[in-house]
């Protein structure tokens, strides 16, 4: 087989270009990405055959040229190539099971332009016409239908769905779409094949719940997302207090159907169940309102969520979902400065999540909020408590991920924390994974903004600009998104657009931007802090743009 490098030129990949002539992987910004010789040789063979299946035998023959090596050597090279490409979802380097690998190039309709624009679906593979299947069994759990005829039962029915998602998410051998993405289909009656294509999953679970006094009927059916074929269906008639047993049975049946190889030890790790069903139902409402109140910065809804969380705890002082919601709400009060004493609220948040993890150490949610509290302290000047506690935050978030490998909230915060603490490449990996686990998530504009700052810290300014532009398109009122635009524009040398972006950021968040211009930066490494402050001061006209040359 002839080598195509002399005729193929440059191969575009999401966020990168592979130069077949020079045998170099470069970011869109032009920076060369270092790779070991064997990993580079594997990438070169895949790039020379882009779009075509390259068998393991062909890779072994062309890369190692007669040397006897194990499959592990090839797997290690593929892992390094994926890591270099930030290919967490394996959309770019695809595995054909027991056959080989296929490199999918980026299809671009036109050449480069002065304004890079927001990423299109074909560029980021996170939305639109369909996603490739992960290398592990994948499932989307659709919102269960409330058949009770009572709108007040919606939170209870949603809680059933969320708990099944949570239980499935704890299995590392499964790829589980997050609740926020599946709930975008609620009430829309979407075709199962459309859902599977848009979310990139192999299986879809549908169901319904009917609650009459102390009786409960739950139906569930597991379908093949490609053909809509029924794999199994079941109906459960139980007393209301048996709801958690039903959830466990449904989860166990799903696991047996789609991933029978999951180790029994992984199945046996049990979470504590609420002792009071009324408290559980109220806590579900509190958790939902707490999330929406943050996204909309809605103080009234936050107060309503506080009331619900405290009502649940009055019924069951050890209701973990209520404690987690309470901790998260206290953090919101502290972070937004909407109470007289933000530090007191922040400490109350720690107290609530501390109780949650003590009561149920197998529930990841308490550790996630603990990580948020450590990573994003309240903006109180001249206080030692204002300092970001990255080590403590990372410890809590990594433990949460050990408990629940598909927890999108954990992936979200861990990605930001890793990047801000000093490892932006690892941060990008987690943030990209969060986007793949929840491609239709209302939180995705916030994730895009975090990907922008992570790429800035990694000096991937072109990618950072793309993510900031995508975020600002969806949440134009967030000051920090415009600040990230300015940072990446300076990195690319477009000072005029950086000034425009910073002007908007100052209008939306004057106090925070002024603190940055005065020298404050929250990042863990001195180099990242200095670069952020300098780039913003250049955008503000306070420093000579030439000063950025040595830091780019």
């Amino acid at each position: 087989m002839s080598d195509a490098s002399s005729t193929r030129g440059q191969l575009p990949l999401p966020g990168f270009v592979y130069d077949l002539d020079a045998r170099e992987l470069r970011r869109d910004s032009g920076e060369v990405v270092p790779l070991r010789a064997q990993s580079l040789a594997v990438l070169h063979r895949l790039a020379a055959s882009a779009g075509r299946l390259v068998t393991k035998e062909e890779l072994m023959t062309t890369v190692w040229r007669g040397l006897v090596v194990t499959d592990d050597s090839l797997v290690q090279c593929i892992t390094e190539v994926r890591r270099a490409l930030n290919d967490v979802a394996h959309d770019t380097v695809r595995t054909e099971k027991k056959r080989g690998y296929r490199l999918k190039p980026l299809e671009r309709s036109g050449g480069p332009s002065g304004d890079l624009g927001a990423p299109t679906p074909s560029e980021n593979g996170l939305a639109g016409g369909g996603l490739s299947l992960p290398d592990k069994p994948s499932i989307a759990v659709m919102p269960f239908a409330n058949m009770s005829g009572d709108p007040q039962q919606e939170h209870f029915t949603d809680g059933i769905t969320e708990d099944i998602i949570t239980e499935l998410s704890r299995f590392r051998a499964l790829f589980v779409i997050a609740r926020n993405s599946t709930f975008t289909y609620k009430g829309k009656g979407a075709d199962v094949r459309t859902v599977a294509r848009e979310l990139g999953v192999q299986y879809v679970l549908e169901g319904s719940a009917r609650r009459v006094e102390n009786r409960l009927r739950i139906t569930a059916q597991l379908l093949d997302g490609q053909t809509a074929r029924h794999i199994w269906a079941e109906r459960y008639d139980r007393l209301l207090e048996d709801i958690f047993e039903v959830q466990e049975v449904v989860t166990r049946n799903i696991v047996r159907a789609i991933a029978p190889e999951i180790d029994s030890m992984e199945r046996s790790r049990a979470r504590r169940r609420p002792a009071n069903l009324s408290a559980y139902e109220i806590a579900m409402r509190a958790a939902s309102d707490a999330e929406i109140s943050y996204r909309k910065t809605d103080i009234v809804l936050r107060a309503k969520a506080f009331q619900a969380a405290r009502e649940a705890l009055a019924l069951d002082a050890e209701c973990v979902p209520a404690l987690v919601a309470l901790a998260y709400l206290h953090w919101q009060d502290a972070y937004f400065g909407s109470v007289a004493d933000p530090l007191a609220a922040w400490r109350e948040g720690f107290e609530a999540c501390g109780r949650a993890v003590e009561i149920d150490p197998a529930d990841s949610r308490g550790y996630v909020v603990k990580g948020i509290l450590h990573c994003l302290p309240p903006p109180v000047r001249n206080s030692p408590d204002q300092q970001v506690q990255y080590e403590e935050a990372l410890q809590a978030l990594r433990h949460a991920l050990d408990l629940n490998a598909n927890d999108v909230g954990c992936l979200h915060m861990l990605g930001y924390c890793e990047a801000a603490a000093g490892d932006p490449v690892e941060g990008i990996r987690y943030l990209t994974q969060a986007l793949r686990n929840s491609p239709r998530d209302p939180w995705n504009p916030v994730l895009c903004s975090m990907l922008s700052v992570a790429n800035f810290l990694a000096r991937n300014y072109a990618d950072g600009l793309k993510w900031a532009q995508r975020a600002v398109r969806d949440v134009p009122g967030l000051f920090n998104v415009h600040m990230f635009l300015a940072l990446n524009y300076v990195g690319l040398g477009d000072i005029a657009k950086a000034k425009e972006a910073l002007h908007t950021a100052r209008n939306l968040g004057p106090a925070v931007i002024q603190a940055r211009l005065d020298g404050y930066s929250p990042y863990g490494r001195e180099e990242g802090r200095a670069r952020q402050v300098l780039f913003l001061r250049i955008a503000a006209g306070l420093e000579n743009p030439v000063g950025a040359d040595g830091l780019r």
Side-chain angles (χ1 to χ4, degrees):
M1 182 175 296
S2 62
D3 194 324
S5 65
S6 61
T7 59
R8 296 289 296 277
Q10 295 190 344
L11 183 72
L13 300 167
F16 300 83
V17 171
Y18 182 75
D19 189 324
L20 286 120
D21 296 324
R23 291 182 178 245
E24 285 183 344
L25 177 64
R26 295 193 293 267
R27 304 186 193 280
D28 282 347
S29 60
E31 179 187 359
V32 175
V33 180
L35 276 170
R36 287 190 309 124
Q38 288 176 330
S39 299
L40 184 60
V42 168
L43 175 59
H44 183 77
R45 173 51 56 186
L46 293 172
S49 307
R52 178 180 70 80
L53 173 70
V54 183
T55 66
K56 293 195 295 184
E57 291 75 15
E58 180 181 338
L59 287 167
M60 290 287 198
T61 301
T62 56
V63 173
W64 281 274
R65 299 185 181 277
L67 293 176
V68 178
V69 295
T70 65
D71 285 356
D72 288 343
S73 299
L74 176 57
V75 171
Q76 179 63 30
C77 289
I78 291 292
T79 300
E80 290 179 9
V81 169
R82 281 176 171 152
R83 187 180 298 126
L85 292 169
N86 297 326
D87 186 25
V88 177
H90 299 180
D91 285 333
T92 303
V93 182
R94 299 182 177 183
T95 301
E96 303 278 344
K97 287 190 176 179
K98 297 184 179 179
R99 298 175 65 198
Y101 302 90
R102 190 189 308 270
L103 183 70
K104 183 184 177 183
L106 180 64
E107 297 177 3
R108 288 179 176 166
S109 58
S113 63
D115 187 350
L116 296 172
T120 63
S122 64
E123 287 176 321
N124 59 51
L126 296 170
L131 297 168
S132 61
L133 293 177
D135 288 342
K136 58 179 72 173
S138 51
I139 186 170
V141 180
M142 305 306 289
F144 276 38
N146 173 21
M147 306 299 289
S148 303
D150 179 5
Q152 296 300 316
Q153 300 297 326
E154 284 295 320
H155 281 293
F156 179 79
T157 306
D158 290 349
I160 294 172
T161 311
E162 290 182 37
D163 264 12
I164 292 173
I165 292 172
T166 299
E167 285 303 307
L168 288 170
S169 294
R170 287 151 55 82
F171 296 109
R172 289 187 172 275
L174 298 180
F175 181 93
V176 184
I177 293 293
R179 170 246 194 245
N180 280 357
S181 279
T182 58
F183 270 63
T184 62
Y185 295 96
K186 186 174 180 177
K188 296 180 180 178
D191 180 79
V192 64
R193 286 164 292 195
T194 300
V195 171
R197 184 178 66 253
E198 291 179 348
L199 297 180
V201 294
Q202 187 175 358
Y203 303 100
V204 176
L205 182 76
E206 296 181 332
S208 64
R210 183 187 299 275
R211 176 178 173 180
V212 179
E213 296 181 351
N214 70 330
R215 300 293 303 181
L216 183 70
R217 169 172 290 180
I218 292 180
T219 63
Q221 57 180 348
L222 184 66
L223 304 114
D224 185 309
Q226 317 308 307
T227 65
R229 177 179 63 86
H230 282 72
I231 297 172
W232 64 258
E234 192 65 74
R235 187 181 76 185
Y236 308 89
D237 289 300
R238 297 285 197 279
L239 293 174
L240 191 60
E241 57 264 29
D242 294 330
I243 174 59
F244 302 115
E245 176 191 336
V246 174
Q247 290 171 347
E248 289 171 355
V249 170
V250 171
T251 301
R252 188 161 57 247
N253 284 342
I254 292 170
V255 169
R256 285 173 175 168
I258 70 177
E261 72 279 3
I262 287 180
D263 187 85
S264 59
M265 288 297 292
E266 193 176 359
R267 292 181 190 159
S268 67
R269 190 169 55 185
R271 283 170 49 218
R272 180 188 181 277
R273 294 302 188 182
N276 186 298
L277 270 175
S278 296
Y280 167 80
E281 186 173 359
I282 296 168
M284 290 296 101
R285 185 170 72 246
S288 175
D289 288 346
E291 180 181 315
I292 298 170
S293 71
Y294 173 79
R295 210 162 55 234
K296 295 185 175 180
T297 322
D298 188 331
I299 298 177
V300 174
L301 187 58
R302 193 186 309 155
K304 181 181 174 184
F306 260 123
Q307 181 179 352
R310 287 168 175 147
E311 184 180 345
L313 289 168
L315 294 170
D316 178 5
E318 295 190 340
C319 181
V320 170
L323 285 167
V324 172
L326 188 66
Y328 185 47
L329 290 162
H330 279 307
W331 171 77
Q332 288 185 44
D333 267 352
Y335 188 68
F336 290 117
S338 51
V339 290
D341 190 346
L343 282 177
W346 191 58
R347 292 175 183 130
E348 286 185 66
F350 269 116
E351 182 180 348
C353 72
R355 287 170 58 201
V357 300
E358 181 180 355
I359 293 166
D360 189 357
D363 192 321
S364 65
R365 292 171 293 186
Y367 293 99
V368 173
V369 178
K370 187 176 180 182
I372 292 173
L373 286 158
H374 279 301
C375 192
L376 299 170
V380 179
R381 288 187 176 276
N382 302 320
S383 168
D385 286 329
Q386 188 189 5
Q387 300 303 311
V388 180
Q389 299 162 340
Y390 284 120
E391 286 304 316
E392 294 86 347
L394 287 169
Q395 182 179 358
L397 292 165
R398 288 167 181 164
H399 185 66
L401 196 64
D402 284 340
L403 294 171
N404 187 334
N406 290 281
D407 187 329
V408 168
C410 180
L411 290 167
H412 178 155
M413 279 311 304
L414 183 54
Y416 170 77
C417 192
E418 289 279 12
D423 192 346
V425 173
E426 188 74 350
I428 291 167
R429 184 173 76 85
Y430 285 125
L431 291 167
T432 306
Q433 184 179 342
L435 281 169
R436 179 60 184 90
N437 276 72
S438 194
R440 293 168 62 94
D441 203 311
W443 284 91
N444 282 354
V446 177
L447 274 170
C448 290
S449 73
M450 291 186 171
L451 273 164
S452 175
V453 72
N455 276 282
F456 162 76
L457 290 168
R459 290 191 171 88
N460 303 334
Y461 302 123
D463 290 340
L465 180 61
K466 288 181 182 180
W467 288 114
Q469 286 173 326
R470 176 170 166 177
V472 81
R473 179 189 67 199
D474 295 326
V475 284
L478 288 180
F479 77 89
N480 57 347
V481 175
H482 296 275
M483 179 175 68
F484 301 151
L485 271 176
L487 288 168
N488 286 292
Y489 271 131
V490 172
L492 291 169
D494 194 337
I495 307 304
K497 287 187 177 178
K499 287 182 177 180
E500 293 176 13
L502 186 64
H503 177 74
T504 303
R506 291 183 91 163
N507 286 337
L508 293 170
V512 177
I513 297 300
Q514 189 57 53
R516 299 294 191 274
L517 294 173
D518 289 343
Y520 172 74
S521 177
Y523 304 128
R525 287 187 176 177
E526 172 59 30
E527 181 277 329
R529 294 196 298 269
R531 187 154 44 95
Q532 183 197 42
V533 172
L534 176 61
F535 280 24
L536 288 178
R537 288 180 64 82
I538 288 171
L542 300 173
E543 299 281 353
N544 191 324
V546 175
D549 292 344
L551 290 177
R552 284 200 181 99

